[in-house]
Amino acid sequence: MTKHSDRRILVIEALSGGVLLVEAALDLGIGVVVASADTEDRVMPAHLRDRIDELVTVETNDLPALLAAVRELHERLPLSAVFPGCDVYVPNAAHLAAELGLTGLDVRTVEQVRDKTRMREAVEAAGLRSPRFLEVSSDEHLPKAAEHTGFPCVVKPVDQSGSLHVSVVHDLEQLTAAYRRLSTDDFVDLGRPMIERALVEEYLDGPEYSVEGYVLDGTTTVVAVTEKLLAPEPYFAEIGHQLPAALSAEASAAIEEYVQGVVRAVNLTVGPFHCELRLTAQGPALVEIGARMGGDRIAELAQLATGVSLPRVWLAGLLGLDPQETGAFGEPVAAVAGIHFFTAPGETRFDRATGLDTAAALPGVREVRLDLAPGDPIHPHLDDFRCRLGQAVFTADSPAAATALRGAVDAAVRINPQAEEER
């Protein structure tokens, strides 16, 4: 595999997919600089800190400050491409690439993939199936929105991720309560507080999937369709993923055709995408699309089950390399790959867990990890990403075998078993 020491990339926050990008670039001999606030939930991973060329400590949510820091950096260490480390930084990466004259997404495009209202407008304008929707920014807008969408409907922030404050409601009272929780929450995620702008949209009835793919040299390629395992409504917390999903050839073709249309509608021209949709009785309908790899280690699952390395495809696209040279296309490890997230609804503090070794010993389980120490707080509700306490990654020979293995892992591990017994 060719080494590319003549190139250097900037990653804005090495989080989620950003970690995979940094690791892939380093493996290819590509220089790496990371811009990070390097504090709280935006800390440079310890295992990468000493391997990169430089860590630029800057408030990554402050675009003018980020631009100034990167201009100075570019004079000393010329950059070849700019990448977002997670979906939050897709707009800033596009702005930096444009400022430096590098390949990247159009800055107008990123507004259509980060702002859910703009996203809905673009998809609707393209004539693609989309739920009815209205943006709201105060209580007084809610009756009109509910009249437009009907009940049940879904309320969500226009620019957050991780299922934060996404919920289904069945009447105006529930809608008002959900919106007030959203607009008054003081939770700060990646240095970004909640805002009052929200989307109210028609509820989509049907199973939920995500589609992993990329755009390269003007061609859109679907790599895999992922089955999404959700916690019980009224929320939509993702507690597992499995790919490829068990779908008929007809459903797979309909999903791929629809996603191709969505990619065109929001003008994604290079790099990976993660498109979430529901397969309704009328066909696929968009939940949202991101101009980045899926979180929750979905890119790793895709490589296990398909052999395609989305980080290496992305590097090839922005650096103008042949993806074969970056090792983007390999052989799959297994027919199906999945991830299961451990949760403990109702618990507020971690004491101990049992069954981790049992789960790790199950055939097909590749990793079991719990991200807690005794005394750590637990988010007690299955409402967003904070409910996830650890994970198990697994592979199997079929979707049915993968589902059975996920169930065995879930049955083996118990969080705070004493409290469970007392209940």
Side-chain angles (χ1 to χ4, degrees):
M1 192 182 303
T2 306
K3 294 294 182 179
H4 302 282
S5 57
D6 58 330
R7 290 173 169 85
R8 180 181 294 107
I9 67 169
L10 171 70
V11 177
I12 306 174
E13 297 293 357
L15 305 165
S16 187
V19 173
L20 301 181
L21 271 168
V22 172
E23 291 173 341
L26 291 172
D27 288 346
L28 291 166
I30 296 169
V32 178
V33 177
V34 173
S36 174
D38 203 27
T39 185
E40 296 179 341
D41 56 353
R42 292 177 291 163
V43 174
M44 180 69 194
H47 75 286
L48 296 174
R49 191 176 286 267
D50 294 332
R51 297 181 61 196
I52 62 173
D53 293 347
E54 188 168 328
L55 173 63
V56 178
T57 305
V58 61
E59 176 45 72
T60 47
N61 295 321
D62 183 342
L63 182 57
L66 184 59
L67 281 168
V70 172
R71 284 194 201 101
E72 187 276 331
L73 169 73
H74 190 54
E75 291 178 2
R76 295 186 294 105
L77 298 173
L79 299 169
S80 307
V82 181
F83 294 84
C86 69
D87 57 335
V88 166
Y89 299 104
V90 169
N92 284 359
H95 282 284
L96 288 178
E99 174 76 14
L100 301 179
L102 304 175
T103 299
L105 293 174
D106 189 293
V107 293
R108 293 167 295 184
T109 293
V110 298
E111 295 303 324
Q112 295 181 151
V113 294
R114 274 301 300 158
D115 186 302
K116 293 178 175 61
T117 300
R118 305 288 88 78
M119 181 192 303
R120 285 266 178 253
E121 290 170 346
V123 170
E124 186 177 66
L128 297 169
R129 185 176 295 104
S130 182
R132 298 184 299 275
F133 68 96
L134 273 182
E135 182 180 306
V136 298
S137 56
S138 72
D139 285 9
E140 64 186 31
H141 298 152
L142 299 177
K144 181 180 178 181
E147 183 179 356
H148 181 66
T149 63
F151 289 110
C153 61
V154 173
V155 60
K156 61 176 67 170
V158 297
D159 70 342
Q160 287 286 354
S161 55
S163 304
L164 278 167
H165 284 292
V166 183
S167 63
V168 60
V169 296
H170 296 270
D171 55 40
L172 185 58
E173 181 179 1
Q174 290 183 0
L175 175 58
T176 302
Y179 175 73
R180 286 177 179 169
R181 285 193 299 271
L182 179 160
S183 58
T184 60
D185 190 354
D186 60 3
F187 177 66
V188 175
D189 183 38
L190 301 178
R192 302 164 64 252
M194 300 293 296
I195 62 175
E196 293 183 345
R197 289 178 59 220
L199 201 62
V200 178
E201 59 187 32
E202 176 188 5
Y203 176 79
L204 298 172
D205 191 12
E208 189 161 323
Y209 303 94
S210 68
V211 182
E212 326 310 329
Y214 59 87
V215 182
L216 188 65
D217 296 329
T219 299
T220 301
T221 299
V222 169
V223 173
V225 179
T226 305
E227 179 185 357
K228 302 176 77 63
L229 305 169
L230 304 179
E233 293 181 358
Y235 305 109
F236 298 90
E238 297 172 359
I239 56 174
H241 307 281
Q242 193 168 293
L243 70 82
L247 290 165
S248 68
E250 181 182 16
S252 295
I255 287 174
E256 180 164 350
E257 180 181 7
Y258 180 80
V259 170
Q260 294 262 358
V262 172
V263 168
R264 288 192 298 271
V266 298
N267 193 36
L268 296 185
T269 55
V270 63
F273 59 82
H274 173 72
C275 183
E276 299 180 354
L277 55 83
R278 286 204 162 193
L279 191 55
T280 71
Q282 293 75 40
L286 183 69
V287 174
E288 62 183 60
I289 186 169
R292 40 83 183 182
M293 298 178 294
D296 297 351
R297 303 181 67 176
I298 288 177
E300 296 173 62
L301 302 183
Q303 186 165 1
L304 287 170
T306 71
V308 176
S309 169
L310 288 169
R312 291 174 185 250
V313 171
W314 202 356
L315 288 166
L318 291 196
L319 294 173
L321 301 173
D322 182 339
Q324 297 290 349
E325 290 185 13
T326 66
F329 307 120
E331 294 298 319
V333 171
V336 182
I339 187 168
H340 170 70
F341 292 103
F342 301 116
T343 62
E347 295 295 307
T348 58
R349 191 161 299 278
F350 177 64
D351 176 27
R352 65 189 182 96
T354 61
L356 295 172
D357 291 341
T358 300
L362 292 170
V365 173
R366 302 175 64 87
E367 174 190 329
V368 174
R369 190 181 83 203
L370 203 61
D371 303 320
L372 293 170
D376 282 353
I378 289 177
H379 187 74
H381 309 296
L382 300 181
D383 52 0
D384 59 51
F385 73 96
R386 292 172 292 178
C387 73
R388 303 186 308 208
L389 313 178
Q391 58 207 255
V393 176
F394 55 90
T395 56
D397 294 333
S398 69
T403 298
L405 180 54
R406 186 190 69 80
V409 168
D410 184 48
V413 175
R414 286 289 171 264
I415 309 295
N416 291 355
Q418 182 66 35
E420 188 175 85
E421 291 164 8
E422 291 173 356
R423 286 198 297 269

